[in-house]
């Protein structure tokens, strides 16, 4: 029997895209009972980008993917796998295959991963497994969501939080390993705290073995969230997850150069940093410009931080996602992009 050989995972490049339509807090306060002051102080959000009618999540995902491919000097035909982390596909059967066709990645397997705000971290961990085992050499990981299409714009407790966007990263088989460790968790008992529930109106008459035509089409409800409970969950489970990763790698918290958390609320980012005794100037945050873009928030912030020269080679980044499921997880990355 051949000895099992494992490979390293290198982050080759990143990309991101947001819609051009920008809605600031003052504009929202004209349609619902809220204020720039409330939103800014409670969340850190000043504005968010919203998909225009003629655009779709695929436009954002492909734009982010093309940026990553161009920056990595990689032809789309060299991709072996596309992982599309999204909870807002434009086809319930999955949107990854549409991205595969548009970018011309004809040799790549492609599928969706549904894990809301933890989706990008989970997809990175999956890509890493495929590369480590030598199954695939080039994997495109996309995180994209358009929750503006799923929130109730008359519900001030949720609609002010979310924005649309996409981010991407290309992971490549390498001798060096940029992914130091990861850990993932789920607590399904609390899934009701944040959901977009499905309501079925279908009625199957089993005696006749026919499907009785429903009066109203089955449909998903608006996004609902128990903000307080999700907040408490985030500030307790994310620091614990990061500590677990540090223990696995025998690193001290001082080794972390950047804290890159899902951009849900500036107060969450700062509370997590405070609990870990990490200073605020080591938090990567762009929440004021985009709000919570769900699976896209981490890759957008990562791409922007690299483009603006914040992240340098040798930096260790603690990347944590958290949200619906409830799911959460951390991936520790040592940055090593060759420019
Ligand atoms: O991406 C998945 C992960 N998501 C998260 O991590 C989100 C976690 N949760 C949070 O970030 C916060 O809980 C929120 C930002 C959602 C809410 O902040 P909060 O400090 O927990 O506010 P609250 O829900 O306790 O509301 C405080 C008050 C309430 O009024 P009363 O009952 O004290 O009179 C709300 O009705 O603020 C009111 N309120 C608003 N006022 C103005 C709620 N939303 C608004 C609003 N504008 N948009």
């Amino acid at each position: 029997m051949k000895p099992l050989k494992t490979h390293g995972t290198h982050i080759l490049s990143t990309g991101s895209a947001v819609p051009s339509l920008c809605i600031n807090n003052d504009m929202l306060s004209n349609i619902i009972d809220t204020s720039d002051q409330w939103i800014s102080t409670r969340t850190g959000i000043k504005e968010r980008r919203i998909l225009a009618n003629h655009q779709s999540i695929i436009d954002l995902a492909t734009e982010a993917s093309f940026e990553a491919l161009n920056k990595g000097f990689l032809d789309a035909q060299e991709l072996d796998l596309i992982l599309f982390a999204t909870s807002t596909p434009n086809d319930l059967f999955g949107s990854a295959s549409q991205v595969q066709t548009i970018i011309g990645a004809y040799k790549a397997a492609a599928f969706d991963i549904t894990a809301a705000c933890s989706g990008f971290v989970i997809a990175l961990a999956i890509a890493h497994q495929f590369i480590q085992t030598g199954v695939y050499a080039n994997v495109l990981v996309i995180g994209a969501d358009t929750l503006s299409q799923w929130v109730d714009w008359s519900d001030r407790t949720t609609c002010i939080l979310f924005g649309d966007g996409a981010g991407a990263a290309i992971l490549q088989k390498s001798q060096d390993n940029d992914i130091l460790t990861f850990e993932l968790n789920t607590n399904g008992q609390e899934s009701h705290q944040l959901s977009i529930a499905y309501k079925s109106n279908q009625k199957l008459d089993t005696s006749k073995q026919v499907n009785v035509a429903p009066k109203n089409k089955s449909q998903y409800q608006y996004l609902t969230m128990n903000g307080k409970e999700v907040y408490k969950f985030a500030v307790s489970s994310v620091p614990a997850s990061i500590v677990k990763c540090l223990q696995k790698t025998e690193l001290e918290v001082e080794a972390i150069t950047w804290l890159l958390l899902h951009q849900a609320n500036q107060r969450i980012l700062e509370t997590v940093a405070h609990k870990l005794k990490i200073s605020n100037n080591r938090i990567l945050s762009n929440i004021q410009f985009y709000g919570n873009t769900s699976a896209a928030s981490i890759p957008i912030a990562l791409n922007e931080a690299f483009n603006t020269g914040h992240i340098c080679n040798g930096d260790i980044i603690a990347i944590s996602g958290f949200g619906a499921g409830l799911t959460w997880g951390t991936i520790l990355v040592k940055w090593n992009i060759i420019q």
Side-chain angles (χ1 to χ4, degrees), residues 74-90:
L74 194 77
D75 192 297
Q77 299 224 34
E78 294 175 73
L79 289 173
D80 303 303
L81 176 66
I82 299 170
L83 298 176
F84 190 4
T86 184
S87 295
T88 54
N90 64 351

Side-chain angles (χ1 to χ4, degrees), residues 34 38 42 117 156 227-228 230 262 264-265 267-268 292 322:
T34 191
W38 192 95
R42 299 273 178 152
C117 308
R156 68 176 184 170
K228 279 210 178 308
V230 177
H262 164 51
N265 185 326
R267 288 190 293 140
I268 294 178
N292 177 345
F322 55 90

Side-chain angles (χ1 to χ4, degrees), residues 27-47:
M27 291 156 90
L28 279 183
S29 69
N30 289 329
I31 54 168
I32 46 167
D33 180 16
T34 191
S35 64
D36 175 48
Q37 213 254 340
W38 192 95
I39 301 172
S40 310
T41 52
R42 299 273 178 152
T43 71
I45 301 165
K46 297 293 282 182
E47 58 193 38

Side-chain angles (χ1 to χ4, degrees), residues 23 25 28 39 43 45 47-51 88 116-117 145-153 155-165 194-196 223-225 230 262-264 287 289-295 322-324:
I23 307 286
N25 293 344
L28 279 183
I39 301 172
T43 71
I45 301 165
E47 58 193 38
R48 71 284 295 141
R49 302 300 184 93
I50 303 293
L51 211 61
T88 54
C117 308
D145 266 313
T146 54
L147 280 170
S148 72
Q149 296 170 324
W150 294 89
V151 291
D152 176 355
W153 283 98
D155 175 7
R156 68 176 184 170
T157 66
T158 53
C159 77
I160 53 112
L161 298 169
F162 297 98
D164 304 332
L194 173 50
S195 77
I196 299 178
L223 180 151
T224 57
M225 177 168 70
V230 177
H262 164 51
Q263 310 280 296
I287 190 168
F289 302 113
Y290 307 120
N292 177 345
T293 55
S294 188
F322 55 90

Side-chain angles (χ1 to χ4, degrees), residues 34-303:
T34 191
S35 64
D36 175 48
Q37 213 254 340
W38 192 95
I39 301 172
S40 310
T41 52
R42 299 273 178 152
T43 71
I45 301 165
K46 297 293 282 182
E47 58 193 38
R48 71 284 295 141
R49 302 300 184 93
I50 303 293
L51 211 61
N53 283 339
H54 64 279
Q55 290 177 307
S56 84
I57 190 165
I58 305 298
D59 298 318
L60 299 177
T62 49
E63 192 184 327
S65 302
F66 277 129
E67 185 187 338
L69 286 165
N70 290 339
K71 280 165 45 183
F73 299 103
L74 194 77
D75 192 297
Q77 299 224 34
E78 294 175 73
L79 289 173
D80 303 303
L81 176 66
I82 299 170
L83 298 176
F84 190 4
T86 184
S87 295
T88 54
N90 64 351
D91 183 329
L92 201 53
F93 289 154
S95 287
S97 49
Q98 292 175 49
V99 176
Q100 183 235 30
T101 301
I102 295 170
I103 66 172
Y106 303 112
K107 294 180 192 147
F111 54 89
D112 288 20
I113 290 164
T114 310
C117 308
S118 305
F120 189 75
V121 167
I122 292 173
L124 280 183
I126 296 170
H128 178 49
Q129 301 309 290
F130 276 117
I131 290 173
Q132 265 200 317
T133 49
V135 176
Y136 293 129
N138 293 309
V139 182
L140 170 65
V141 179
I142 305 164
D145 266 313
T146 54
L147 280 170
S148 72
Q149 296 170 324
W150 294 89
V151 291
D152 176 355
W153 283 98
S154 65
D155 175 7
R156 68 176 184 170
T157 66
T158 53
C159 77
I160 53 112
L161 298 169
F162 297 98
D164 304 332
I170 296 172
L171 272 56
Q172 195 164 56
K173 189 165 92 178
S174 160
Q175 286 187 337
D176 298 325
N177 188 24
D178 302 349
I179 297 198
L180 305 181
T181 194
F182 70 87
E183 74 96 41
L184 307 174
N185 314 271
T186 301
N187 178 4
Q189 286 179 340
E190 297 297 319
S191 61
H192 57 280
Q193 305 289 8
L194 173 50
S195 77
I196 299 178
Y198 181 69
K199 187 167 176 241
S200 173
N201 288 317
Q202 299 276 8
K203 284 200 175 49
L204 183 68
D205 186 340
T206 45
S207 61
K208 292 182 184 152
Q209 292 191 328
V210 289
N211 200 357
V212 177
K215 283 209 180 82
N216 300 304
K217 196 165 73 66
S218 303
Q219 58 189 6
Y220 285 91
Q221 310 294 292
Y222 287 124
L223 180 151
T224 57
M225 177 168 70
N226 182 340
K228 279 210 178 308
E229 285 306 314
V230 177
Y231 188 102
K232 279 193 264 173
F233 141 74
V235 298
S236 66
S237 45
V238 173
S241 170
I242 293 172
V243 166
K244 261 194 220 168
C245 283
L246 288 171
Q247 283 166 351
K248 280 202 218 177
T249 48
E250 297 184 0
L251 289 169
E252 298 296 325
V253 74
E254 291 74 30
I256 296 174
T257 326
W258 297 108
L259 201 54
L260 173 46
L261 310 184
H262 164 51
Q263 310 280 296
N265 185 326
Q266 186 64 27
R267 288 190 293 140
I268 294 178
L269 308 190
E270 291 176 10
T271 305
V272 171
H274 180 74
K275 285 192 167 184
L276 292 167
K277 299 193 172 58
I278 291 177
S279 67
N280 283 355
N281 60 9
R282 280 157 63 197
I283 300 173
L284 292 173
S285 171
N286 61 6
I287 190 168
Q288 64 169 314
F289 302 113
Y290 307 120
N292 177 345
T293 55
S294 188
S297 88
I298 288 172
I300 293 174
L302 187 65
N303 188 45

